[in-house]
Amino acid sequence: MNPLLRWFHSLGSPPTFYRFATRWIPWTGFAALVLGAIGLYFGLFRAPADYLQGESFRIIYLHVPSAWMSLFIYVLMAIYGAIALIWRIKLCEILMMAAAPIGAMFTAVTLITGMLWGKPTWGTYWEWDARMTSELVLLFLYFGVLGLANAYDDLRQGARAAAVLALVGVVNVPIIHFSVQWWNTLHQGESVQIIGKSTIHASMLWPLLLVAAASKFYFLFALLQRARTLLLEQERGKSWARELALGAR
Amino acid sequence: MSDFSATSSLLFRDLTLAWHRRSDVLQPLAFAVLVVLLFAITLGGDRARLSAMAAPIIWVTVLLANFLSFDQFFREDAADGTLDQWLSSAVHMSALCFGKALAHWLVYGLSLLLATPVLAMLLSLDVSLLPVLLVSIAMGTFGATQIGLVASALTARLRRGGILLALIVLPLFLPLLIFGSGAVDAVQAGLSARSALLLLAAQTTLLTTLAPLAAAASLRIGSDQPP
Amino acid sequence: MSDFSATSSLLFRDLTLAWHRRSDVLQPLAFAVLVVLLFAITLGGDRARLSAMAAPIIWVTVLLANFLSFDQFFREDAADGTLDQWLSSAVHMSALCFGKALAHWLVYGLSLLLATPVLAMLLSLDVSLLPVLLVSIAMGTFGATQIGLVASALTARLRRGGILLALIVLPLFLPLLIFGSGAVDAVQAGLSARSALLLLAAQTTLLTTLAPLAAAASLRIGSDQPP
Amino acid sequence: MSLFQLEHASCERDAELLFRAVDIDLGEGEWLLLEGANGIGKSTLLRALVGLYPLNARSMNFAGVDVLGDRGPLLAHTRWLGHALAIKRELSVIENLRYALGIAGRVIESDPHALCALVGLTGYEDSPVRTLSAGQKKRVALLPLIASSAKLWLLDEPFANLDTRGITLVHRLLQTHLTRGGSAVIASHGDAQLAAPSHRLTLVSP
Amino acid sequence: MSLFQLEHASCERDAELLFRAVDIDLGEGEWLLLEGANGIGKSTLLRALVGLYPLNARSMNFAGVDVLGDRGPLLAHTRWLGHALAIKRELSVIENLRYALGIAGRVIESDPHALCALVGLTGYEDSPVRTLSAGQKKRVALLPLIASSAKLWLLDEPFANLDTRGITLVHRLLQTHLTRGGSAVIASHGDAQLAAPSHRLTLVSP
Ligand code: HEM
Ligand SMILES: Nc1ncnc2c1ncn2[C@@H]1O[C@H](COP(=O)(O)OP(=O)(O)OP(=O)(O)O)[C@@H](O)[C@H]1O
Ligand SMILES: Nc1ncnc2c1ncn2[C@@H]1O[C@H](COP(=O)(O)OP(=O)(O)OP(=O)(O)O)[C@@H](O)[C@H]1O
Ligand SMILES: [Mg+2]
Ligand SMILES: [Mg+2]
């Protein structure tokens, strides 16, 4: 077997994953903290004010990274769901379930920061604009996944049902991303390009990228922590989990 | 071959049942007419305004009426033990799910499609918009039915599926609504509806291929609760 | 006195059942939010237009959501034999019917009433119109529930009640709608809503006194068809 | 004294007579076993007695009062149990009992746990009925019957789905009811051998 | 030869064992009577056998093939009948039969009227099932069973609601099935005395 595959496979066993998570949780949390602190410091205090929007544009450092994360986490959740359904890997069910509330949280932050930003720039908190609407719908999708998972008495059955929904819901992600092009709307189009030239000034860009990286690490941190708890809950009958609980006491 | 005969058998069964319950089956349709009628009455004064909003109102109404019909997808088969009977025999569930969706569309989708000109008339929609409205509604309801298939399969066994069904269906409807009513908007604005319709068609095709598989996988979840 | 305790017992039973099925019970509510949301999305561009139409849209939506809930009035009690059990014992049917309507309003009507401010917000209704909207919706849903009681009692035993229910309920809803949304219109136009509200109250009172009697008489019809 | 009297009764379905004219004369402490092939009309007859189905009869008396026209006096002292069990899946066993009695304008007089024990549902008092087995559900349906003070029981296949202990139990409940001066009409298929009925009525098609 | 083998099987509800480990070894032409008190887990066991409920077992074989992981080979030759009858009220008796078989990818091979006569439903072939009595509905549910060519029957209380002739009839159908090399597991409460089972399994709580 290919060594990468073998590593992945061994990680799939609950006790191994538990140890892996325990090892990496502090590091990811630390990275998130440091990167976030630097990025936010430069973004909020050092970057020049926008010539059009003034100081209110600084909300971008919260809004855009969480907007990216809200989409990214959904896609990731769907991938975990697909793996869970096809290969019946229990760990992926758990990762999926662990990712959902974090994604919902980022979606909520996007919506709230967007609304706060909308008031000074567009003069209204809410507008039935394409991107806002579809982001709201993304929040509903997250709620649907969470609600469906909780509606089943059995944890694993709930996870499988939620996985189907997560997969089916993936169609919404491109819609949210491209909505600014498909509809003529208030919300602005893409200004950060990975390939090609960004339309945003470098002194504004690099703190943004730092915060974005921090949000990724924060996600990893929260994901590992939640997954660890879920894993213990699901495996509470198994011997390794019992030993661990005894050892902790 | 046996899958095909099973699917067509289920199709005929569901159509027969729908015929026996024709009055219940027409309820979503009645609902659609009702909504439009009430809107026409309340907004009736200003005819130009009404006709400008006619297409989106019709699209929303049709999707909502379709949503109301989803309750019927698996509820009865789950309650009277038929679903368990299928799961405990060697039938090909995704073929059956395809048959169920087809039957459902022929009953509910088609009747809504046929009612669309009436709805358009009630809201004094510009007649030139009718063709694109009909085409988009035909595709849209077919796609919506597939969404309903999956959502109903996911909630068929749940004691408390009600609000979940709404929560699941609504986000998935949105893309259909965007491109569907977008197509009509485009024509209304003098543009070509081609790209919107193509995107709608792509979505519907994708849904039609994937939904029966997803539904089949979902129906087994929760079978430990007898009806 | 025993009638009173029977009615309150039924009331508590229905509220308990509603609590157990809270997710299903919220479906009409979800539906109302959904309708308003979709309308807001499709008509969203023009804010002023939306807010001008907000009150009639809300009234229509609330009545429709209420209509959807009528399906639940007697269907289950008829299906599991409870209705037959009542008819074959010495209970006072009209007292029970009154209890059923009250429970139904407390579950569906009240939740719609509580959701009305949210609907108003979604459609950016003028805040000054909210009080009259709430008062009219409160009375309107109560009257509508009584209408639903009678209509559901008439169709409880029918195999194919669906469209009949709509046909019975709809014409009866119209007076409520006219005076209810009329009251809001009056305030919007700077006039007094008093006479519209009084007429609405008169209707609701009349319905509340007569509906339980009519429903009790109707439930016996068709008892020769076991569930 | 005769508690319930029925003379020359028959029911029709689609303008055809279901069974030949039947006569019932039931005293206090007596019970009647109603037999007959599937589809002969046992359930229909029981439903007709409580007024859920049209009944043709020469006369029908309960405790000396004519109840052919107005079933009121009969229904006040009768409990009928049909094929549909009239229990709510979401409610617990005790809730089902409480509301069934409450809606009839009564309260539980004896201890509900003792009643549950009587029908063999100890330990399931607070389980939602949805989670019970078929035979356990049947027992739940019997609860309001034994908690009520009805003089006349009309039971449609009370033994179906019950295990042997459950059948004995129903017979014991019936005996208690009879010794208190009650009466019963019980439709059943041969499970009733455990106790000898006072009367036996076998429906036959005309 | 042994057709169906089950070793050391048990089911759990809410993390509690329902019944003690059971073993089944059923040859062709043999049938097993599954007994036990109400709520012991008979229906649950039957559901678990066809994969509707999680089953713990050491092994499970059908016709020599292991079917513990994948029920496919078992389900292709098995018909299970549960408490819910899986019939449609609005459809007629024959329509119910036709669609039940059709959806399983089969057609009615014998004359449907002859099949109806076999279960005693002559004259009701075209009646909507809604208009049948309880026992007649049960007979309708038996139709797809005898029209199928399933090797293994798993029947949950097939005798409930049937009259004495109906019970004899089911036993006759069962005999025919067994002489053709079929097998059956039948959960029932003491109505099965008419014919001696090849095996008897009484579930008891652990
Ligand atoms: C509730 C209201 C809002 C919501 C739901 C929202 C949602 C989003 C989402 C989902 C993205 C990520 C899109 C993607 O990467 O595909 C995004 C990006 C962005 N948003 Fe918002 N937004 C809102 C309000 C605003 C406001 C008021 C502004 C500023 C005037 C704004 C400026 C931006 C910018 C600059 C980006 C980055 C665009 C890019 O580089 O791709 N947003 N928003
Ligand atoms: N809703 C109905 N509409 C028309 N005919 C009906 C209806 N219900 C029952 N029947 C017919 O009336 C007859 C008597 O039915 P009933 O249910 O009284 O029989 P039963 O003696 O109780 O039988 P079982 O032992 O099977 O319960 C049957 O032949 C049946 O077909
Ligand atoms: N949906 C459910 N959820 C939780 N527990 C259940 C559920 N269904 C059944 N049970 C419990 O499982 C046990 C076994 O039930 P099962 O239906 O298998 O019994 P059974 O042997 O078939 O009884 P009967 O003879 O009454 O049909 C019972 O104690 C019951 O309370
Ligand atoms: Mg009967
Ligand atoms: Mg059972």
Side-chain angles (χ1 to χ4, degrees), chain B residues 204-217:
Chain B
T204 300
T205 316
L206 192 72
L207 282 168
T208 310
T209 29
L210 295 184
L213 300 173

PDB file of all heavy atoms in Angstrom, chain B residues 204-217:
ATOM      1  N   THR B 204     -31.304  20.283 -13.393  1.00  0.00           N
ATOM      2  CA  THR B 204     -32.350  19.266 -13.346  1.00  0.00           C
ATOM      3  C   THR B 204     -31.792  17.906 -13.721  1.00  0.00           C
ATOM      4  O   THR B 204     -32.118  16.885 -13.106  1.00  0.00           O
ATOM      5  CB  THR B 204     -33.494  19.679 -14.279  1.00  0.00           C
ATOM      6  OG1 THR B 204     -33.995  20.930 -13.821  1.00  0.00           O
ATOM      7  CG2 THR B 204     -34.608  18.667 -14.261  1.00  0.00           C
ATOM      8  N   THR B 205     -30.924  17.886 -14.730  1.00  0.00           N
ATOM      9  CA  THR B 205     -30.338  16.617 -15.143  1.00  0.00           C
ATOM     10  C   THR B 205     -29.491  16.021 -14.031  1.00  0.00           C
ATOM     11  O   THR B 205     -29.603  14.831 -13.701  1.00  0.00           O
ATOM     12  CB  THR B 205     -29.441  16.823 -16.376  1.00  0.00           C
ATOM     13  OG1 THR B 205     -30.138  17.665 -17.279  1.00  0.00           O
ATOM     14  CG2 THR B 205     -29.115  15.512 -17.030  1.00  0.00           C
ATOM     15  N   LEU B 206     -28.684  16.875 -13.439  1.00  0.00           N
ATOM     16  CA  LEU B 206     -27.835  16.403 -12.347  1.00  0.00           C
ATOM     17  C   LEU B 206     -28.697  15.840 -11.216  1.00  0.00           C
ATOM     18  O   LEU B 206     -28.446  14.738 -10.699  1.00  0.00           O
ATOM     19  CB  LEU B 206     -27.007  17.587 -11.823  1.00  0.00           C
ATOM     20  CG  LEU B 206     -25.875  17.219 -10.876  1.00  0.00           C
ATOM     21  CD1 LEU B 206     -24.760  16.555 -11.652  1.00  0.00           C
ATOM     22  CD2 LEU B 206     -25.358  18.443 -10.149  1.00  0.00           C
ATOM     23  N   LEU B 207     -29.728  16.571 -10.854  1.00  0.00           N
ATOM     24  CA  LEU B 207     -30.608  16.130  -9.769  1.00  0.00           C
ATOM     25  C   LEU B 207     -31.262  14.796 -10.117  1.00  0.00           C
ATOM     26  O   LEU B 207     -31.371  13.901  -9.282  1.00  0.00           O
ATOM     27  CB  LEU B 207     -31.683  17.183  -9.499  1.00  0.00           C
ATOM     28  CG  LEU B 207     -31.242  18.395  -8.697  1.00  0.00           C
ATOM     29  CD1 LEU B 207     -32.292  19.485  -8.733  1.00  0.00           C
ATOM     30  CD2 LEU B 207     -30.980  17.981  -7.254  1.00  0.00           C
ATOM     31  N   THR B 208     -31.702  14.679 -11.378  1.00  0.00           N
ATOM     32  CA  THR B 208     -32.414  13.467 -11.755  1.00  0.00           C
ATOM     33  C   THR B 208     -31.514  12.237 -11.715  1.00  0.00           C
ATOM     34  O   THR B 208     -31.972  11.135 -11.439  1.00  0.00           O
ATOM     35  CB  THR B 208     -33.015  13.632 -13.163  1.00  0.00           C
ATOM     36  OG1 THR B 208     -33.714  14.869 -13.193  1.00  0.00           O
ATOM     37  CG2 THR B 208     -33.962  12.505 -13.488  1.00  0.00           C
ATOM     38  N   THR B 209     -30.239  12.442 -11.997  1.00  0.00           N
ATOM     39  CA  THR B 209     -29.346  11.277 -11.938  1.00  0.00           C
ATOM     40  C   THR B 209     -28.975  10.931 -10.499  1.00  0.00           C
ATOM     41  O   THR B 209     -28.893   9.756 -10.153  1.00  0.00           O
ATOM     42  CB  THR B 209     -28.040  11.516 -12.718  1.00  0.00           C
ATOM     43  OG1 THR B 209     -27.757  12.906 -12.700  1.00  0.00           O
ATOM     44  CG2 THR B 209     -28.162  11.037 -14.140  1.00  0.00           C
ATOM     45  N   LEU B 210     -28.779  11.961  -9.687  1.00  0.00           N
ATOM     46  CA  LEU B 210     -28.264  11.679  -8.341  1.00  0.00           C
ATOM     47  C   LEU B 210     -29.349  11.418  -7.306  1.00  0.00           C
ATOM     48  O   LEU B 210     -29.159  10.621  -6.378  1.00  0.00           O
ATOM     49  CB  LEU B 210     -27.387  12.836  -7.873  1.00  0.00           C
ATOM     50  CG  LEU B 210     -26.114  13.037  -8.691  1.00  0.00           C
ATOM     51  CD1 LEU B 210     -25.273  14.136  -8.086  1.00  0.00           C
ATOM     52  CD2 LEU B 210     -25.315  11.736  -8.753  1.00  0.00           C
ATOM     53  N   ALA B 211     -30.493  12.078  -7.462  1.00  0.00           N
ATOM     54  CA  ALA B 211     -31.502  12.007  -6.392  1.00  0.00           C
ATOM     55  C   ALA B 211     -31.970  10.583  -6.080  1.00  0.00           C
ATOM     56  O   ALA B 211     -32.052  10.210  -4.912  1.00  0.00           O
ATOM     57  CB  ALA B 211     -32.685  12.906  -6.731  1.00  0.00           C
ATOM     58  N   PRO B 212     -32.271   9.758  -7.094  1.00  0.00           N
ATOM     59  CA  PRO B 212     -32.730   8.400  -6.747  1.00  0.00           C
ATOM     60  C   PRO B 212     -31.692   7.624  -5.939  1.00  0.00           C
ATOM     61  O   PRO B 212     -32.050   6.899  -5.013  1.00  0.00           O
ATOM     62  CB  PRO B 212     -32.963   7.749  -8.105  1.00  0.00           C
ATOM     63  CG  PRO B 212     -33.233   8.877  -9.019  1.00  0.00           C
ATOM     64  CD  PRO B 212     -32.357   9.990  -8.549  1.00  0.00           C
ATOM     65  N   LEU B 213     -30.431   7.825  -6.261  1.00  0.00           N
ATOM     66  CA  LEU B 213     -29.390   7.129  -5.497  1.00  0.00           C
ATOM     67  C   LEU B 213     -29.369   7.622  -4.049  1.00  0.00           C
ATOM     68  O   LEU B 213     -29.332   6.825  -3.106  1.00  0.00           O
ATOM     69  CB  LEU B 213     -28.020   7.368  -6.133  1.00  0.00           C
ATOM     70  CG  LEU B 213     -27.881   6.889  -7.574  1.00  0.00           C
ATOM     71  CD1 LEU B 213     -26.548   7.320  -8.150  1.00  0.00           C
ATOM     72  CD2 LEU B 213     -28.021   5.375  -7.627  1.00  0.00           C
ATOM     73  N   ALA B 214     -29.411   8.946  -3.899  1.00  0.00           N
ATOM     74  CA  ALA B 214     -29.379   9.507  -2.544  1.00  0.00           C
ATOM     75  C   ALA B 214     -30.607   9.071  -1.753  1.00  0.00           C
ATOM     76  O   ALA B 214     -30.511   8.711  -0.577  1.00  0.00           O
ATOM     77  CB  ALA B 214     -29.304  11.030  -2.616  1.00  0.00           C
ATOM     78  N   ALA B 215     -31.760   9.068  -2.416  1.00  0.00           N
ATOM     79  CA  ALA B 215     -32.989   8.686  -1.714  1.00  0.00           C
ATOM     80  C   ALA B 215     -32.920   7.223  -1.280  1.00  0.00           C
ATOM     81  O   ALA B 215     -33.300   6.870  -0.161  1.00  0.00           O
ATOM     82  CB  ALA B 215     -34.194   8.927  -2.613  1.00  0.00           C
ATOM     83  N   ALA B 216     -32.431   6.368  -2.178  1.00  0.00           N
ATOM     84  CA  ALA B 216     -32.352   4.947  -1.845  1.00  0.00           C
ATOM     85  C   ALA B 216     -31.462   4.726  -0.630  1.00  0.00           C
ATOM     86  O   ALA B 216     -31.782   3.932   0.254  1.00  0.00           O
ATOM     87  CB  ALA B 216     -31.830   4.164  -3.039  1.00  0.00           C
ATOM     88  N   ALA B 217     -30.355   5.468  -0.588  1.00  0.00           N
ATOM     89  CA  ALA B 217     -29.456   5.314   0.556  1.00  0.00           C
ATOM     90  C   ALA B 217     -30.121   5.821   1.831  1.00  0.00           C
ATOM     91  O   ALA B 217     -29.898   5.283   2.912  1.00  0.00           O
ATOM     92  CB  ALA B 217     -28.162   6.085   0.301  1.00  0.00           C
TER      93      ALA B 217
END
